[in-house]
Amino acid sequence: MTSRFRIAPNLALDEKVARLRAAGTAVVHLGFGESRLPLPAEVRDLLVAGTDRRGYGAVAGAEDARAAVAGYFTRRGLPTDPDRIVLAPGSKPLLMALTAVIDGDVVLPDPSWVTYAPQARLFGRRVRPVAIPAEHGGVPDPDLLAETLRAARRAGSAPRLLVLTLPDNPTGTLAPPELVRRVCAVAEREDLLIVSDEIYRDLPHRPQEPFLSPAEILPDRTVVTTGLSKSLALGGWRIGAARFPAGAVGDRLRDGVLAVASEVWSTMPGPMQEVAAGVFAEPPVIVRHLRDSARLHATVTAAVHRIVTDAGAHCRTPGGGFYLYPDFEPARAVLATRGVRDGGALQDHLLEEHGVAVLAGHHFGDAPEALRFRIATSLLSGETDEERWAALRADDPLRLPHVAVVLDRLAEAFQRLVHRPSRHAQ
């Protein structure tokens, strides 16, 4: 019997790259959204200290860890009581549990993170994609959102959940406050619940740029999810959290998620509760490390943005996290001569002919024929912790030899892709 389910494309690509590298093939890995920056020693100490937490514990999470997460949100303008927090082994299962307990269609920005739509389909939910605005991703175009909801209801469907991502994966942009307000106005008028995935919030490229969470506008109908996999490079430790709204709606959502959690993951592992309690409290060492990480990601992502735009691609200016979403439509005629006529073929061509791994746009819900793909710049700061620490501490990480050489290789690959002479220089 053939399963209708497949491993997530980002994870499948990461495993493929690992096999190629193990076989001796050189690959510049831009296809996996994982930060592998080194950890402050204090975080490792928290993990060791947490080994005494061997019991199952409360489904929602330990009291000290929930209090730390509540403080984290409160400092960001969202006053939060610890009983509004649920912890889980990563934010991914929290998103899946929310999809399980909220009936109705799931409305997604198009493109959006590769996991949102498959999770919805696992529970038999219909996915309603809505195109993003030209300048920013992570939220749907407000006018198109309203049209999509009206059309869905005329067809007898019941859209109920809107998922937003601030900053965005895959475009790496941050929707401005005025756009978030317009989207929230539609959500309120149309009685949508909102999940705001804010796992990249602590990696802004311009710290002075305003950040507006939907939970500030619609506090009674917005759940916010976050975690430590991106900001602190703890993907393998699986530490996620959700903030539920106060009131009857929030209580029902929280109770439903806890019911799912009790049957699926029981509780977040005890040692990770210790890490969550210590890190979300944001002692000075963590604040400094997050600041340095955000600066490094911004610098490297901006450099890669220059490389792809120099190669002729259209690409939104990044604003947070470590992603880019270039569109090589201007090179369609050139690429067609190589048999590249859609995003999947472009992904394969870049890996097979240029040794560059990217993830094609159709995995994010984009049109298959589009020549768009997501770039993750998070793995370009070094292959060892020594190199990554050097990048974190450097005034100009682009001048470090191990960073410069990979950027030069990327510039050459993208210029060869479109048959243009290299113009990249440090």
Side-chain angles (χ1 to χ4, degrees):
M1 181 176 65
T2 301
S3 172
R4 62 190 179 93
F5 302 114
R6 297 288 185 271
I7 188 171
N10 55 332
L11 298 174
L13 179 61
D14 189 53
E15 292 179 6
K16 181 177 182 178
V17 170
R19 291 194 298 270
L20 288 171
R21 286 178 164 177
T25 302
V27 178
V28 178
H29 197 358
L30 305 177
F32 195 54
E34 178 183 14
S35 175
R36 293 177 185 164
L37 294 180
L39 284 177
E42 290 83 353
V43 178
R44 298 179 187 274
D45 293 342
L46 288 169
L47 180 62
V48 173
T51 56
D52 287 338
R53 296 195 183 200
R54 298 189 300 275
Y56 275 95
V59 176
E63 184 174 350
D64 60 342
R66 288 187 291 109
V69 177
Y72 167 90
F73 282 116
T74 299
R75 289 187 294 276
R76 284 154 180 78
L78 297 173
T80 306
D81 293 329
D83 64 358
R84 298 289 95 197
I85 300 298
V86 173
L87 298 172
S91 62
K92 205 170 185 179
L94 288 165
L95 292 163
M96 190 168 188
L98 283 161
T99 304
V101 303
I102 299 174
D103 291 329
D105 297 357
V106 178
V107 184
L108 299 177
D110 184 11
S112 60
W113 182 44
V114 297
T115 287
Y116 297 143
Q119 284 190 346
R121 295 185 182 110
L122 282 172
F123 293 102
R125 309 285 190 254
R126 180 172 294 179
V127 175
R128 299 285 180 178
V130 183
I132 60 175
E135 296 82 11
H136 304 93
V139 302
D141 180 286
D143 296 330
L144 294 178
L145 173 61
E147 292 176 11
T148 298
L149 295 173
R150 287 193 293 267
R153 292 193 170 113
R154 285 196 301 269
S157 293
R160 184 59 175 148
L161 173 61
L162 172 63
V163 181
L164 308 177
T165 314
L166 303 165
D168 182 36
N169 173 7
T171 67
T173 59
L174 174 62
E178 61 271 20
L179 184 57
V180 176
R181 289 191 182 93
R182 290 182 60 200
V183 170
C184 286
V186 176
E188 183 175 31
R189 185 172 68 245
E190 300 291 342
D191 194 29
L192 297 179
L193 296 170
I194 295 175
V195 170
S196 184
D197 185 347
E198 299 178 11
I199 198 165
Y200 298 95
R201 177 168 184 168
D202 295 325
L203 296 176
H205 292 189
R206 295 171 289 277
Q208 72 282 3
E209 188 171 2
F211 183 103
L212 182 65
S213 172
E216 298 178 61
I217 307 169
L218 300 178
D220 297 333
R221 61 175 67 233
T222 302
V223 178
V224 181
T225 60
T226 190
L228 300 180
S229 60
K230 310 303 181 180
S231 60
L232 210 59
L234 293 179
W237 290 14
R238 313 308 302 138
I239 300 173
R243 177 195 183 271
F244 290 82
V249 171
D251 288 345
R252 287 197 298 272
L253 290 175
R254 179 181 178 275
D255 291 348
V257 167
L258 288 176
V260 172
S262 70
E263 303 295 353
V264 178
W265 66 82
S266 299
T267 187
M268 189 166 76
M272 302 315 164
Q273 306 264 7
E274 183 84 19
V275 174
V279 169
F280 279 110
E282 297 184 293
V285 65
I286 296 299
V287 172
R288 289 193 301 271
H289 191 76
L290 290 177
R291 179 199 62 211
D292 293 344
S293 298
R295 179 180 59 85
L296 175 60
H297 287 309
T299 300
V300 175
T301 303
V304 180
H305 182 265
R306 289 191 294 272
I307 287 171
V308 295
T309 54
D310 280 352
H314 299 311
C315 191
R316 296 173 179 86
T317 301
F322 35 71
Y323 298 116
L324 296 166
Y325 199 69
D327 184 352
F328 275 83
E329 181 62 30
R332 179 172 291 276
V334 172
L335 293 172
T337 65
R338 301 181 176 91
V340 175
R341 294 178 173 83
D342 57 36
L346 181 54
Q347 174 182 321
D348 293 342
H349 180 80
L350 278 167
L351 182 57
E352 295 165 6
E353 301 298 326
H354 300 282
V356 176
V358 301
L359 199 60
H362 69 276
H363 296 302
F364 301 89
D366 208 342
E369 66 273 13
L371 297 175
R372 293 185 282 266
F373 52 82
R374 190 196 68 178
I375 286 174
T377 66
S378 48
L379 302 181
L380 301 180
S381 299
E383 294 294 327
T384 66
D385 273 358
E386 181 180 7
E387 289 182 343
R388 295 167 190 144
W389 273 123
L392 273 169
R393 293 164 174 162
D395 292 333
D396 184 359
L398 303 185
R399 293 185 176 275
L400 294 174
H402 70 271
V403 176
V405 69
V406 73
L407 292 179
D408 284 339
R409 182 177 172 191
L410 279 179
E412 181 182 358
F414 283 115
Q415 293 292 345
R416 284 193 290 118
L417 177 70
V418 297
H419 276 178
R420 296 184 181 180
S422 178
R423 293 182 289 137
H424 174 64
Q426 291 296 325

